[in-house]
Amino acid sequence: MPQYGFIGLGIMGSAMAANLVKAGFDVTVWNRTPAKCAPLVSLGARQGKSPGEVAASCDITFAMLADPTAAHEAFFGLNGVLAGIGGGRGYIDMSTVDDVTARTIAAAVAKAGGRFLEAPVSGTKKPAEDGTLVILAAGDRSLYEEAAQALDKLGKKRLYLGAVGQGARMKLVVNMVMGGMMTAFCEGMSLGQNGGLDGNQILEVLDAGAIANPMFKGKGPMLLQGEFPTSFPLKHMQKDLRLAVALGDELGQPLHTAATANETFKRACAAGHGDEDFAAVYRVID
Ligand code: NAP
C-alpha cells in the first residue's frame, strides 16, 4: 500500500487528511503548529518531524497551505519538502497559489528527481469533510493516475488540465467570480434593507429566480444574523482576488469587477475580519 504524507492541517487540510486516514491509508502528517496533528494522530496517522522527512518517507506527499508564501516556505525552507523529495516520489500541492509559484515548485521538484502535480480545489469546509471537493489538477500525468485512489477519497470530481499553472489559473477564475458575486450579494442585501425591504424576503426572491445559487442560500442567513463562523477565511479570498488581478496584469486584461471586489476585501482585512468567513465582507458594506 502506498504511504501518503499530508502537510498543512488548517480548516481544509485537517478534514482532507482525516478522510485519507479514515479510508484506511497509511498517512504521515505535519503542521507548522504541531498541536493540530493531535486529532489526526488519534485517528491513526503518524506525525512527521518536518516536511522534508515526510516527503522522504512517503510515496506521495500532499500539501494544503495558506498562500504562496506558505507554499514556498514549506517547500524551500529549512527541512522543507525539497530536502526529502526525489527518487520519483510525488508532491501534490493542493493550496490555492498563483501559476508562477506552482511552476517554480514544479521545476525544483523535477530537478530533484521527484514528480509534481498541482491540485487546488473548489469547495469549502463541508465538502472537504464530506470528500466532495472538485479537484483541478495539472502537471505530471503519471502522478495524477497513481494518486487517483487517494484523490477520489478527497473529491467527487477531478479534472486534468494539462501543464502546471493551469490548475492555479482555473482555481483563480472560480474564486474571482465568487468574490465578485459575494460583494454584489452583500451590496444588494444592504441596499434592500436600507430601502425598507425585509432581509428574509430578499433572500426568498433571490432564491426563486435565475440567480439562485447555493452560495447565496448558504451565506444569506449569516448576513441576517451578523455572525460569520469560518468555512473559508476572508483573508484567503482577498489573496485569491489579489492573485487573479495579478494574472489579469500578466495577461494584459482589465478586470474591473475583480479589482473593485479586491479593494472591498482589503478593507475588510484591514478592519480585522480576515479570520472570519469571507461572507463577513458584509461588515464593511454600508
Ligand atoms: P487555514 O485554515 O488558514 O490553514 C492554513 C494552513 O497553512 C495551516 O496548516 C497553516 O499552519 C499553514 N501555514 C500558513 N503559513 C505557513 C508557513 N509559512 N509555513 C508552513 N505552513 C504554513 O486555510 P484553509 O482554509 O485550510 O485553506 C488552505 C488553502 O486552501 C488556501 O490556499 C485556501 O485559499 C485554499 N482553499 C480554502 C478553502 C476553504 O473554504 N477554506 C476552499 C478551497 C481552497 P498553522 O496551523 O501553523 O497556522
Side-chain angles (χ1 to χ4, degrees):
M1 204 203 335
Q3 305 234 338
Y4 294 114
F6 207 107
I7 290 171
L9 304 173
I11 293 170
M12 298 295 283
S14 57
M16 293 159 75
N19 281 337
L20 294 181
V21 179
K22 286 180 200 158
F25 295 127
D26 193 330
V27 182
T28 304
V29 297
W30 178 87
N31 193 63
R32 180 182 62 174
T33 307
K36 290 190 190 166
C37 294
L40 275 300
V41 170
S42 318
L43 280 180
R46 269 183 262 252
Q47 185 169 351
K49 289 190 178 64
S50 66
E53 190 217 45
V54 174
S57 64
C58 296
D59 302 291
I60 297 176
T61 298
F62 295 91
M64 192 52 161
L65 300 155
D67 53 21
T69 304
H72 262 100
E73 283 181 18
F75 186 82
F76 291 105
L78 187 67
N79 299 321
V81 170
L82 182 57
I85 200 74
R89 289 185 298 285
Y91 184 48
I92 303 183
D93 193 348
M94 306 187 80
S95 324
T96 304
V97 297
D98 55 299
D99 55 343
V100 177
T101 299
R103 281 196 294 272
T104 304
I105 292 174
V109 170
K111 200 169 167 210
R115 291 177 295 158
F116 180 78
L117 194 72
E118 62 172 347
V121 301
S122 179
T124 185
K125 185 180 176 203
K126 181 79 168 55
E129 288 167 353
D130 295 345
T132 56
L133 296 165
V134 177
I135 299 171
L136 310 170
D140 190 294
R141 182 99 208 197
S142 70
L143 180 55
Y144 178 68
E145 313 280 345
E146 257 174 65
Q149 224 192 349
L151 292 174
D152 289 342
K153 296 293 175 197
L154 305 177
K156 65 176 178 185
K157 182 179 173 76
R158 55 185 160 87
L159 288 89
Y160 180 78
L161 301 166
V164 172
Q166 296 306 90
R169 287 181 172 188
M170 182 69 86
K171 174 62 192 171
L172 293 181
V173 167
V174 172
N175 275 24
M176 183 186 88
V177 172
M178 192 162 72
M181 279 174 68
M182 179 55 85
T183 48
F185 178 47
C186 289
E187 286 182 357
M189 288 297 290
S190 177
L191 180 70
Q193 290 176 100
N194 285 338
L197 297 173
D198 176 77
N200 280 307
Q201 285 186 319
I202 303 173
L203 293 180
E204 193 181 338
V205 172
L206 288 174
D207 195 47
I211 59 166
N213 68 76
M215 185 178 85
F216 290 179
K217 204 174 172 63
K219 304 295 184 186
M222 288 187 181
L223 269 50
L224 296 184
Q225 285 151 21
E227 285 171 20
F228 302 93
T230 312
S231 288
F232 180 33
L234 188 149
K235 64 187 175 190
H236 293 336
M237 174 51 93
Q238 195 274 313
K239 172 256 305 178
D240 294 347
L241 285 166
R242 169 172 62 81
L243 297 177
V245 170
L247 181 59
D249 282 354
E250 189 188 322
L251 301 181
Q253 182 180 336
L255 294 171
H256 305 286
T257 306
T260 305
N262 184 38
E263 295 307 319
T264 310
F265 276 91
K266 269 162 71 178
R267 199 169 141 219
C269 282
H273 305 304
D275 289 321
E276 290 183 84
D277 191 76
F278 80 113
V281 73
Y282 189 54
R283 292 194 191 278
V284 298
I285 288 171
D286 302 322

